[in-house]
Amino acid sequence: MLDKEGYRPNVGIILTNSKKQVFWGKRIREHSWQFPQGGIKHGESPEQAMFRELHEEVGLLPEHVEIIGRTRNWLRYTVPDHWIRREWRGSYKGQKQIWFLLKLVGRDCDVSLRATDHPEFDAWRWNEYWVPLENVIEFKRDVYRQALGELAKLLFSRNDPRRQPKGELWEVVKKPEESGQKPEQQTSG
């Protein structure tokens, strides 16, 4: 199911624990880490898709989590041509996502990467909130930056230093209007 521009509706999930760390899953048989995410099926709401994907990829049920919030709008990323299946080229461009911020109210042992017959991840870990921004595949990086940035305001108090990322990568991808600088003053580090 693609929209008229070639983007597949999708949900992304940022799952946090009591320390405000985020769940990070390793794609099965790859050395690639990401947040849980997945397509929205015809007739599903984004919230229904999120709960389905949460169970399929992480093994958690609605009673294991609390919804803290979600992004206001769709966030899009374009997939490079060499990552697109040959039969989809020309029609498929990438994903448009609604991101959900969840808090685990269950226990770590409730996570089950083998809850379904088609696991997505073969390992997982908790990371500091902004670490995924530095480690996600490049073409997803801007969407991760947007989702983490918008949802951090719901997780961290105004004075919590974790509310804003630190480091070179953030400076490179931060937009001039977010830094308070005029574009000609922006530096990359």
Side-chain angles (χ1 to χ4, degrees):
M1 182 171 79
L2 299 178
D3 69 11
K4 62 185 177 197
E5 289 133 13
Y7 289 90
R8 180 176 174 234
N10 193 283
V11 293
I13 302 168
I14 301 171
L15 175 66
T16 64
N17 64 12
S18 61
K19 297 176 184 175
K20 299 183 180 179
Q21 297 170 316
V22 294
F23 176 96
W24 198 226
K26 182 183 156 301
R27 303 252 333 167
I28 198 159
R29 293 182 294 280
E30 296 179 25
H31 190 67
S32 165
W33 293 77
Q34 69 177 51
F35 288 131
Q37 69 175 56
I40 299 174
K41 293 181 178 178
H42 182 72
E44 257 184 339
S45 70
E47 187 173 312
Q48 290 168 328
M50 178 273 295
F51 279 122
R52 180 182 48 75
E53 289 292 337
L54 184 67
H55 181 258
E56 289 176 4
E57 295 190 7
V58 184
L60 295 176
L61 300 171
E63 59 265 23
H64 294 127
V65 298
E66 172 188 320
I67 297 175
I68 298 172
R70 58 167 270 185
T71 55
R72 287 182 302 267
N73 300 308
W74 293 101
L75 306 178
R76 288 176 168 76
Y77 67 82
T78 301
V79 177
D81 283 340
H82 65 277
W83 287 87
I84 299 174
R85 292 181 187 167
R86 186 168 288 142
E87 64 270 17
W88 291 3
R89 290 185 187 155
S91 60
Y92 174 79
K93 286 195 176 164
Q95 309 273 1
K96 68 177 188 180
Q97 301 175 311
I98 295 292
W99 282 84
F100 287 86
L101 179 63
L102 307 178
K103 179 181 178 184
L104 179 66
V105 294
R107 300 171 303 177
D108 284 4
C109 63
D110 293 324
V111 172
S112 173
L113 302 182
R114 302 287 182 265
T116 66
D117 293 335
H118 302 286
E120 298 268 341
F121 302 126
D122 59 15
W124 69 277
R125 64 183 180 223
W126 293 113
N127 271 330
E128 295 307 315
Y129 188 80
W130 294 102
V131 166
L133 184 61
E134 298 172 1
N135 294 309
V136 72
I137 193 163
E138 191 172 336
F139 65 86
K140 292 183 180 181
R141 200 166 285 159
D142 193 50
V143 164
Y144 272 52
R145 180 191 60 77
Q146 291 174 60
L148 287 164
E150 182 176 338
L151 297 170
K153 298 168 189 152
L154 302 175
L155 188 62
F156 300 109
S157 69
R158 187 176 300 271
N159 298 326
D160 191 320
R162 295 174 294 176
R163 186 171 172 153
Q164 293 295 321
K166 306 280 187 270
E168 281 183 34
L169 182 63
W170 180 256
E171 295 304 318
V172 170
V173 299
K174 191 181 342 181
K175 296 178 181 174
E177 63 271 13
E178 293 170 338
S179 69
Q181 295 178 334
K182 295 179 181 168
E184 62 272 10
Q185 295 175 315
Q186 188 73 18
T187 62
S188 61

